Amino acid sequence: MSAVLDAVRTGRAGETELLLRSLPDAERRSLLPELKKLRKEVRDLPWDQRSRAERMYPALQVAGAMCHSGAAAAATWIAGADMRWRQAPTETLLRALAGRDTGWQADVARRLADRPVSADVPFALMAGLVRRSGCEVPVTDAYVVGWVRHVGHGWGRVPLVDRLRAEPDLVPLVNGLFEFSELSEVRWLFGDGPGSWQSALAELTRTGELDRAAVVDACVARLLRGGGPTDHRVFLPLLVQLALTREEERDRVADWTALARDAASPVAAHAQAVLATLALDGRLAAGQLAEASEGVLFRSEKKLVRAQLVLLGKVLAGAPDAAPHLLPAVAQAFGHEDTQVQERALKLVERHAKRLADPVARAGIAEAADRLSPALRTRATGALGLAPAAAPEAYAEVLPPAPEPFRPEPAPDSAVELAEEIGALLASDGDVASFERALDGLARHAYRDRDALRAALEPVAATRWWKRPDTREGWRADEYFGNTRYGLLGPRDGLELLLATLFDAVGTHTLFAARQRGPAGHGCVHSGLSHAFDARLRELAYRIRTDPQPLLLATPSWSTGLVEPGDLVDRLARYGRLGARVGAADFAQALLRVRREDRAAALAAAERAAALGSPEGGRLARWLSAGAAVPPSARRRTSGARILVETGEVPELQEDFPEAFRRLGRPVTTGDERRYCGHWNQEGHPHWLAILPERRELVAVRLVHDLSLAAVDDQRGMAAVLPTLAESGGAAGESTRLCVAYGLGARHPEDRLAAVDALLVLAARGQLDADRLGADLGQLVRRGAVKPLRLAESARTAAATGANTTIWEMLRHALPVLLADLPAAGAGTPGAARGLGELLSVAAECAERCGARGAVPHLSRAAARRGSSRLTVQARRLRDALDTEAAA
């Protein structure tokens, strides 16, 4: 047996197989404990010895497969994740398993085929076991993927169709291909053209080697099931190449209707084309066409909707008696967001309304007409012979209510409950209130009973990387937490530091040195915020080790980060009674958070603070008694397509504050953006806002460049902070507006939605300067930083909540900048104005709904352009909506 283990250790797979073949089953089984021990040893080898592990794995895989007597255990060993480093040759494994009975081999084959595709079990091994055992081919994802890869890689110059013909299990495997859930795994093998899988399967269907009805049914069923883009790129071309007859298409009308209504755009377009052919050939009843049309006309793709309206027009022209069935379906397009689609639908109704005798149908169309734009609604009323609508009431905008700040719960009295909350924070991103509650809880419990706190946190600490001395990372805790160059990466990193401090994974000298050293150099534009955040956490860590604090002064009274002045005075008084030493960073953060806008409460608290007789009490009294903060000077700078903001010094933040906090008051320049920045994690952005909860602009100016990345460089997630920025306190000035503007033009929908939320919050709080935001957007679109189509989508989303006046005021100041750049009538549209038609459409919709009047510079020139482009049509619509005389 030692010879077998020696062969495994030296990586001789062939010799291992020969040695084990000569041993009886009992002796093989007796080797399993040693093999498992060796496998663990190989798994735990450090990275610099991976070559040794790779040499051993093939022999280890063979040995385990031969020594396990159970099929399940053998399959688990062969397909183990660690065995993927380097697998044994398939021929060697097949020889190793050849001595087993066929039932056992079939069981192993099925269990290997049941593994996920990611297990990467060799297809040749599964297929070899299937052939030797004579079992039914296992049609699983792993087996089908392996088969597709095996056949797709080719056998010399043999055409794919001939390779498929040679497959003895062709029918079940092709059926499995239609059922396969992760087609993207092998999408690159399918390709296009004469030699593709689609062409080969279509050829085999034509020659009868595959049942035509079964293939067509499976193909249509797969498209009905839906899925990613890979699905329709594979199965739709196959369906087209099958060239269904008219009778085959007629038998599947229900399927085409469902596909036209719900499938991806390319599939829906094909289904629509099939239905159109059947309808024009007279093979589709009017009721069936109406049912299909109702689904298509609800889709957002304008091309599909317009094509359906064209089809309905042709059918109505050839079969006037179909009007009672089709015109109610046409009316479904009255609610489409594109007014040109609405107008096309209305023209059809106007043309054929006289054939609509059914009063129920007319009433349904009249009800649908309420969804038309105001101008088209008036036309519809005349076409249907309805009584004129009553004069609309004066428009009153109702904005969604702004979120109200709330009082967070105090820190838990129980150390066990605190440990549960910290575990949850480490597992996922928590909000500012939860994080601050955890910090205060750690300070209080470390002061009260450090041993009890450690005992409660032991299950949480046991999972942390710095707690495992057997890993190389465990030896870098001092180096990692002692590095102050870029600061902690976020709140979770800060919690890790505090836990590592509690469990003595970080030395006191490291904590002291990091606290004394403080931030390094000038740093990037975020350095003021990040270093203030770090300074408080590093101070807390050092105090937990050397001189625990009874509580934290800077714990917010409100979810936004604000501290009530009365609460801060009470906390300082408690420090005085306990004889505790105030932390410099904690007190500095408390000053920046204390609420000063309520002057009556601030002055009352200032008197109480002065009466404490402590230096901190006097400092707080002076801070609260000072007048309103003077905002720093601000000026704009451009950088490529971007518009950025620079600010001057904030003198009140330069005096009596620790060095880390003075950075918050230093000038911000565009040169800071070009410095290397390690703050790539957006997790800390809401916590930065809580550093200065009444000075939103001082944070926003440091985030403008970050937000520009969402629009200019298409980065995802940069705008997630915008709702929190909108809920913060202080003036919403130039930097805040630019942050929102970049968010409205972000590449990703979730970022644009966050920007819309921020815009609505600011509007609801009366802090949105829509005029200046619109002017900023006009300049950003003109410079190419914001794309008009993205802005139009954001504006439409905001308007859908009812904010028509707000969005109109914003676009009213954005449009003149873009309309001024339009060339003379008949000339092409410049790149900066591409998509301007969509913006005009949203503006016209908002103007019609809120009853806006007045002139927009350069709009008349755009409306006078020749042609029927979307830009021109929507410019005319907006001009007519704003025309006071026409409205009268």
Side-chain angles (χ1 to χ4, degrees):
M1 290 192 290
S2 62
V4 173
L5 293 175
D6 288 342
V8 172
R9 286 184 177 278
T10 53
R12 302 193 300 274
E15 183 178 337
T16 300
E17 183 258 325
L18 290 174
L19 290 171
L20 286 172
R21 188 181 298 280
S22 63
L23 297 178
D25 288 346
E27 291 189 29
R28 291 187 194 178
R29 286 195 296 273
S30 67
L31 277 170
L32 280 173
E34 289 297 326
L35 290 174
K36 291 177 180 178
K37 182 179 178 181
L38 179 58
R39 183 181 184 183
K40 183 179 185 305
E41 176 187 324
V42 174
R43 273 200 299 246
D44 292 341
L45 285 174
W47 283 97
D48 55 3
Q49 297 186 42
R50 294 315 301 178
S51 59
R52 178 185 165 199
E54 289 180 7
R55 285 198 306 271
M56 281 192 279
Y57 269 125
L60 190 59
Q61 189 179 36
V62 170
M66 295 185 72
C67 291
H68 280 96
S69 57
T76 300
W77 183 280
I78 291 169
D82 53 335
M83 296 296 179
R84 295 175 217 160
W85 282 101
R86 185 177 170 191
Q87 302 188 28
T90 300
E91 297 78 7
T92 304
L93 275 174
L94 287 173
R95 284 198 310 270
L97 302 177
R100 308 283 187 166
D101 63 72
T102 55
W104 188 91
Q105 293 187 50
D107 195 2
V108 172
R110 283 191 293 269
R111 291 178 183 277
L112 290 175
D114 283 335
R115 293 275 168 172
V117 175
S118 59
D120 202 21
V121 178
F123 173 74
L125 174 62
M126 295 185 288
L129 290 171
V130 168
R131 287 194 305 271
R132 290 186 176 189
S133 64
C135 70
E136 184 178 347
V137 60
V139 185
T140 64
D141 282 1
Y143 199 91
V144 172
V145 165
W147 173 67
V148 171
R149 288 172 177 166
H150 172 71
V151 175
H153 282 128
W155 308 334
R157 297 187 179 182
V158 180
L160 176 61
V161 66
D162 293 332
R163 284 177 255 154
L164 292 174
R165 282 195 176 103
E167 173 56 58
D169 298 305
L170 177 64
V171 173
L173 287 172
V174 169
N175 291 338
L177 181 62
F178 285 108
E179 295 297 328
F180 179 39
S181 58
E182 294 294 336
L183 198 63
S184 57
E185 293 278 349
V186 288
R187 166 68 183 94
W188 60 278
L189 285 171
F190 283 86
D192 300 302
S196 66
W197 273 79
Q198 296 92 322
S199 296
L201 293 175
E203 175 62 24
L204 293 173
T205 303
R206 281 192 289 272
T207 57
E209 290 157 280
L210 291 174
D211 182 71
R212 178 178 178 82
V215 173
V216 172
D217 286 343
C219 195
V220 173
R222 181 57 184 254
L223 293 173
L224 282 168
R225 192 176 82 183
T230 299
D231 283 33
H232 65 73
R233 289 171 187 164
V234 172
F235 296 109
L236 180 58
L238 172 58
L239 185 63
V240 172
Q241 292 196 41
L242 289 172
L244 271 61
T245 64
R246 286 287 176 265
E247 288 305 317
E248 288 176 319
E249 292 175 340
R250 179 69 182 83
D251 291 341
R252 292 176 172 80
V253 168
D255 294 333
W256 307 129
T257 300
L259 290 173
R261 180 180 61 240
D262 299 321
S265 290
V267 180
H270 175 77
Q272 183 186 46
V274 173
L275 290 170
T277 302
L278 292 173
L280 295 176
D281 287 350
R283 296 171 180 261
L284 197 65
Q288 292 175 315
L289 178 57
E291 180 184 359
S293 298
E294 287 178 356
V296 175
L297 294 175
F298 266 117
R299 295 186 67 108
S300 59
E301 300 95 329
K302 297 170 188 174
K303 184 177 180 180
L304 294 179
V305 174
R306 289 169 181 164
Q308 195 69 19
L309 290 175
V310 170
L311 170 64
L312 290 169
K314 291 179 179 179
V315 174
L316 284 167
D321 56 336
H325 294 284
L326 299 184
L327 287 183
V330 172
Q332 298 298 321
F334 288 176
H336 199 277
E337 64 182 23
D338 186 352
T339 55
Q340 288 180 280
V341 170
Q342 293 181 15
E343 187 171 10
R344 285 172 180 262
L346 181 57
K347 285 180 179 178
L348 274 179
V349 172
E350 290 173 333
R351 191 176 303 135
H352 300 281
K354 58 181 178 294
R355 300 192 180 101
L356 196 61
D358 184 359
V360 176
R362 294 181 72 87
I365 294 175
E367 182 179 351
D370 289 339
R371 301 196 297 269
L372 289 165
S373 66
L376 295 177
R377 195 180 308 135
T378 303
R379 277 178 52 183
T381 300
L384 296 172
L386 303 175
E393 298 180 3
Y395 176 80
E397 181 161 276
V398 179
L399 294 165
E404 293 292 334
F406 60 88
R407 284 266 194 176
E409 293 293 327
D413 287 331
S414 165
V416 174
E417 184 181 347
L418 175 64
E420 292 175 353
E421 293 189 4
I422 290 174
L425 283 171
L426 289 170
S428 62
D429 295 337
D431 57 19
V432 172
S434 300
F435 177 72
E436 293 288 345
R437 167 186 163 101
L439 294 187
D440 190 42
L442 285 170
R444 290 172 183 266
H445 284 281
Y447 180 84
R448 187 184 308 164
D449 190 342
R450 177 172 168 162
D451 291 338
L453 178 60
R454 282 171 57 109
L457 285 168
E458 183 65 45
V460 178
T463 64
R464 314 320 301 169
W465 62 267
W466 43 263
K467 186 68 171 173
R468 299 192 294 271
D470 57 326
T471 62
R472 290 183 298 167
E473 288 85 358
W475 299 108
R476 292 209 304 266
D478 274 295
E479 178 185 349
Y480 182 83
F481 291 120
N483 180 14
T484 61
R485 183 178 183 188
Y486 301 119
L488 302 169
L489 293 180
R492 271 186 284 189
D493 228 16
L495 288 176
E496 295 275 12
L497 168 63
L498 298 176
L499 291 181
T501 300
L502 271 170
F503 286 89
D504 301 322
V506 182
T508 305
H509 67 284
T510 300
L511 297 173
F512 177 77
R515 179 167 172 253
Q516 291 295 109
R517 186 163 53 245
H522 182 274
C524 64
V525 69
H526 309 110
S527 61
L529 297 165
S530 67
H531 288 312
F533 181 80
D534 280 15
R536 182 165 168 249
L537 287 167
R538 294 188 185 279
E539 178 183 83
L540 176 57
Y542 182 70
R543 291 290 297 271
I544 284 176
R545 176 69 57 79
T546 61
D547 180 19
Q549 299 160 269
L551 54 88
L552 294 182
L553 298 173
T555 301
S557 304
W558 296 95
S559 56
T560 56
L562 278 173
V563 175
E564 283 296 323
D567 292 348
L568 182 52
V569 174
D570 291 342
R571 294 168 190 172
L572 282 173
R574 185 176 177 190
Y575 264 76
R577 290 193 300 271
L578 295 173
R581 182 168 57 87
V582 172
D586 185 30
F587 182 58
Q589 178 60 90
L591 289 178
L592 294 180
R593 284 180 173 171
V594 72
R595 189 159 66 99
R596 297 196 292 174
E597 287 186 348
D598 185 342
R599 296 308 302 157
L603 293 174
E607 291 183 12
R608 292 179 55 209
L612 293 176
S614 64
E616 291 80 15
R619 175 77 173 94
L620 175 58
R622 294 191 300 274
W623 181 259
L624 291 173
S625 301
V630 179
S633 60
R635 56 191 175 278
R636 291 192 169 202
R637 290 288 186 269
T638 58
S639 177
R642 293 173 170 85
I643 298 175
L644 303 174
V645 180
E646 294 183 336
T647 58
E649 189 175 67
V650 184
E652 69 171 352
L653 298 183
Q654 297 293 298
E655 301 175 0
D656 297 330
F657 277 97
E659 173 60 25
F661 289 83
R662 292 180 188 175
R663 290 170 175 266
L664 295 170
R666 290 178 185 165
V668 175
T669 68
T670 54
D672 296 336
E673 307 291 351
R674 293 190 288 272
R675 296 175 183 270
Y676 175 77
C677 177
H679 306 101
W680 48 267
N681 190 347
Q682 291 88 50
E683 180 187 351
H685 287 177
H687 299 268
W688 288 354
L689 282 161
I691 292 173
L692 294 159
E694 279 191 336
R695 303 293 296 272
R696 162 174 33 207
E697 279 292 286
L698 293 183
V699 181
V701 71
R702 293 168 165 87
L703 296 178
V704 171
H705 186 268
D706 290 358
L707 268 297
S708 74
L709 297 175
V712 180
D713 298 324
D714 296 348
Q715 289 193 20
R716 186 188 297 270
M718 305 305 297
V721 70
L722 285 177
T724 308
L725 178 67
E727 293 169 26
S728 192
E734 200 156 22
S735 298
T736 300
R737 286 197 307 275
L738 280 174
C739 285
V740 173
Y742 284 121
L744 293 173
R747 162 67 176 82
H748 299 284
E750 61 269 28
D751 286 323
R752 293 198 295 271
L753 187 59
V756 169
D757 287 344
L759 183 149
L760 295 174
V761 169
L762 290 171
R765 297 177 68 182
Q767 297 174 332
L768 179 69
D769 189 337
D771 296 0
R772 297 185 68 179
L773 175 61
D776 290 343
L777 283 166
Q779 292 298 330
L780 290 173
V781 171
R782 189 183 191 191
R783 297 178 64 85
V786 168
K787 292 180 171 56
L789 287 176
R790 297 176 185 174
L791 175 58
E793 184 174 339
S794 296
R796 182 174 283 113
T797 301
T801 67
N804 291 288
T805 298
T806 298
I807 300 306
W808 162 244
E809 290 300 321
M810 180 183 81
L811 294 179
R812 183 169 68 90
H813 289 80
L815 289 172
V817 180
L818 307 178
L819 293 171
D821 290 337
L822 282 178
T829 303
R834 191 169 291 113
L836 180 55
E838 292 298 328
L839 275 177
L840 287 166
S841 173
V842 179
E845 180 75 17
C846 292
E848 290 170 346
R849 292 189 180 279
C850 70
R853 297 290 180 265
V856 172
H858 312 293
L859 177 62
S860 298
R861 184 163 61 90
R865 288 161 58 95
R866 295 190 301 272
S868 58
S869 68
R870 182 163 182 76
L871 188 156
T872 303
V873 169
Q874 295 303 321
R876 292 168 186 162
R877 177 190 172 195
L878 177 58
R879 178 199 60 190
D880 294 342
L882 297 174
D883 190 337
T884 305
E885 293 182 4

